Amino acid sequence: MPINVDDVMQLFCHLSQQKGMKAAVKHSGRGALLAGATAFIGGLMGGPPGIAVGGAFGGLLGAWMTSGQFRPVPQILLELPPAEQQKLYDEAVVILRRLDWTDVAQLTALVMGNASLQQKLTAVLINYLSKELRAEIQYGE
């Protein structure tokens, strides 16, 4: 059966939910922008000392903002744009293409019944989250 992107996303959601995976996606660009903006404003208001104070304040505020809140991985996966889902799908298909299944429930049962498949797919998911999204991953409730 041809493998559908939505089926693979549902499989990853189930797998990550079973493992209790949560991730915090870091938005380092926002933090850098905030640090730069506060240094600029500090420079306008206080000259060179204002740049230092504004940069320090903005850096701390930016670090706090970008630390990220942990959210369940299934929620993150379902919010991915189609192009990002396709990237994850492309990596998963290499592992799933040899399986014979009829619907997403059967596919999920096949994967959850095979520790090797679970490990390979979990590795794909962790790699995607940490490299593509630069997310920090946590396990357990």
Side-chain angles (χ1 to χ4, degrees), residues 35-73:
T38 55
F40 178 72
I41 292 169
L44 289 176
M45 297 179 78
I51 293 173
V53 171
F57 177 72
L60 290 172
L61 190 59
W64 175 74
M65 280 181 53
T66 61
S67 63
Q69 298 295 323
F70 282 90
R71 297 184 324 174
V73 169

Side-chain angles (χ1 to χ4, degrees), residues 3-124:
I3 302 174
N4 179 322
V5 175
D6 291 334
D7 291 348
V8 172
M9 288 300 111
Q10 286 183 28
L11 174 64
F12 275 126
C13 287
H14 183 79
L15 186 62
S16 61
Q17 189 172 24
Q18 289 295 317
K19 305 242 180 234
M21 293 173 68
K22 293 181 180 182
V25 179
K26 298 178 181 180
H27 302 284
S28 57
R30 285 188 209 163
L33 183 63
L34 181 65
T38 55
F40 178 72
I41 292 169
L44 289 176
M45 297 179 78
I51 293 173
V53 171
F57 177 72
L60 290 172
L61 190 59
W64 175 74
M65 280 181 53
T66 61
S67 63
Q69 298 295 323
F70 282 90
R71 297 184 324 174
V73 169
Q75 180 184 354
I76 294 169
L77 293 175
L78 294 175
E79 292 173 358
L80 288 175
E84 292 298 314
Q85 288 184 353
Q86 186 67 42
K87 283 183 189 177
L88 188 53
Y89 166 85
D90 290 343
E91 292 183 43
V93 167
V94 173
I95 298 165
L96 299 173
R97 68 175 173 232
R98 294 187 191 107
L99 295 179
D100 185 30
W101 53 280
T102 55
D103 62 7
V104 72
Q106 186 182 18
L107 174 63
T108 302
L110 284 170
V111 170
M112 297 313 287
N114 184 322
S116 175
L117 284 175
Q118 283 184 45
Q119 186 177 19
K120 289 176 185 176
L121 289 170
T122 301
V124 165

